Amino acid sequence: MSAALAIQTAPPLNGLGMSENFKSTLLSAFKPLMRPLVRILVRNGVSYGEFAEILKMVFVDAAQDVLQLPDSRQSVSRLAITTGLTRVEVSRLLEQTESDAEALAGRLSRVGRLLTGWHQDSDFTGPYGIPYEVPFDGPPGRRSFCELVRRYTGDVPAPEMLDELKRIGSVLDLGNGFYRVLARWYMPSAADPAKFHAMSVAFTDLAKTLDQNLRPDEDHKLFERRVWAPNGITSADALEFDAYVKDRGQQFLEALDDWLTNHEAEAIKNKAESKVKLGVAMYMFVRPADAVADETTES
């Protein structure tokens, strides 16, 4: 075989939680994981001190999840012991909010919902699922950009949403009073602060999947697979593979998106009380030919 399909089958290691050797191994595994993230920070002028402050918040938040302490006074002491921070630092961090991040997440979510609706709502798609070009406004319930905003973004002013979509290159003003959608997905540019939030969501979703699959007490393992060429391929073939992945991967994700949209509509229609948010993410990775990868736990 010229490629290997990775399936995580090794059982979790038990009884090593207090081992210093295990801690050392765990920290060594985190070093290459953090390198690309820190590279992004350094490239954008973020100092170690600024990043360390964020890490303090993450440690406190994660320790809260793990310890699940009901008493707030006891929680501060236990969190301080567990994280290695002072009680003063823990108290200060517990009072901080993430309103800016939540506001940005809300904006990204609304843009994504509108673009998806424009591509999937039967009132806004013609034969073969091609989205209609729409006027800015029209009577309620009739096909227009303002109707899309009403259906998929809540109380966001339509002119502001249109300006945002034009700014990110997702909508084209045809000059005759109509607008054409250019993208099904919201992919912020590298210069857009929203790009970093999109990156955060991708890393977070992957990390949460790995976290769940590594828990020894978790019976339900989420889908986690990789395919790669262990002996390498030529640079020309790599470019061809890149195009192949973009084409077939996009088709696969759109099929999954259609399935999720149909079931999401059913859940809304039936007013389901028990719901979860879920999805599938795909990414392509490239390593230098001389890179050494530890793949001993995969088969």
Side-chain angles (χ1 to χ4, degrees):
M1 291 179 62
S2 61
L5 181 65
I7 304 176
Q8 190 74 338
T9 57
L13 299 174
N14 296 315
L16 294 176
M18 301 302 292
S19 167
E20 289 301 320
N21 288 335
F22 180 70
K23 280 188 179 181
S24 177
T25 300
L26 182 60
L27 289 172
S28 295
F30 265 74
K31 185 177 179 180
L33 168 66
M34 295 300 297
R35 184 174 289 112
L37 298 178
V38 173
R39 189 181 297 124
I40 294 172
L41 296 176
V42 173
R43 191 163 57 236
N44 290 277
V46 177
S47 69
Y48 166 76
E50 292 168 318
F51 185 45
E53 183 67 16
I54 296 296
L55 279 181
K56 291 178 183 179
M57 296 175 62
V58 172
F59 262 81
V60 170
D61 184 60
Q64 280 184 293
D65 290 340
V66 173
L67 297 176
Q68 298 181 343
L69 298 173
D71 188 301
S72 59
R73 288 177 298 178
Q74 181 187 10
S75 295
V76 172
S77 298
R78 284 290 304 281
L79 289 171
I81 294 171
T82 303
T83 62
L85 300 170
T86 66
R87 295 182 76 256
V88 173
E89 285 180 309
V90 170
S91 297
R92 174 179 62 83
L93 293 167
L94 287 173
E95 294 174 358
Q96 293 185 4
T97 64
E98 298 183 355
S99 57
D100 291 343
E102 291 172 358
L104 180 56
R107 179 167 69 88
L108 288 174
S109 176
R110 288 190 291 269
V111 170
R113 287 199 303 269
L114 186 144
L115 292 176
T116 299
W118 202 338
H119 280 84
Q120 294 189 336
D121 192 319
S122 59
D123 291 337
F124 289 87
T125 54
Y128 309 106
I130 299 175
Y132 284 118
E133 297 167 355
V134 299
F136 176 74
D137 205 354
R142 298 296 295 273
R143 189 183 304 131
S144 70
F145 182 81
C146 288
E147 181 62 24
L148 277 168
V149 171
R150 280 190 287 268
R151 292 188 188 186
Y152 295 102
T153 69
D155 58 354
V156 177
E160 291 185 12
M161 179 58 67
L162 181 60
D163 287 342
E164 174 67 5
L165 291 174
K166 289 193 292 186
R167 183 185 71 82
I168 63 177
S170 294
V171 164
L172 175 65
D173 184 349
L174 299 177
N176 59 357
F178 281 73
Y179 296 89
R180 177 186 300 161
V181 63
L182 302 177
R184 180 168 177 158
W185 315 98
Y186 181 17
M187 292 297 293
S189 68
D192 192 332
K195 184 71 173 182
F196 299 110
H197 179 78
M199 174 205 70
S200 173
V201 171
F203 272 110
T204 301
D205 287 339
L206 175 58
K208 286 182 176 179
T209 294
L210 296 174
D211 177 37
Q212 176 166 332
N213 290 352
L214 287 170
R215 292 179 185 175
D217 58 343
E218 179 59 64
D219 294 327
H220 179 69
K221 307 298 183 182
L222 297 176
F223 184 84
E224 176 200 339
R225 302 289 188 272
R226 289 185 298 152
V227 60
W228 74 95
N231 298 314
I233 61 176
T234 67
S235 297
D237 287 342
L239 291 175
E240 183 178 347
F241 182 69
D242 178 55
Y244 181 74
V245 169
K246 289 175 180 175
D247 178 47
R248 295 293 294 272
Q250 181 70 20
Q251 294 178 35
F252 177 59
L253 288 176
E254 289 183 6
L256 295 181
D257 188 43
D258 290 339
W259 190 97
L260 286 172
T261 299
N262 292 334
H263 286 74
E264 188 177 39
E266 285 295 319
I268 295 173
K269 178 181 177 181
N270 298 327
K271 298 180 179 180
E273 295 182 0
S274 177
K275 295 190 293 185
V276 295
K277 293 183 178 180
L278 78 171
V280 172
M282 293 178 62
Y283 65 95
M284 177 177 164
F285 63 87
V286 180
R287 299 178 185 147
D290 57 351
V292 178
D294 183 4
E295 293 158 352
T296 57
T297 61
E298 298 164 347
S299 60

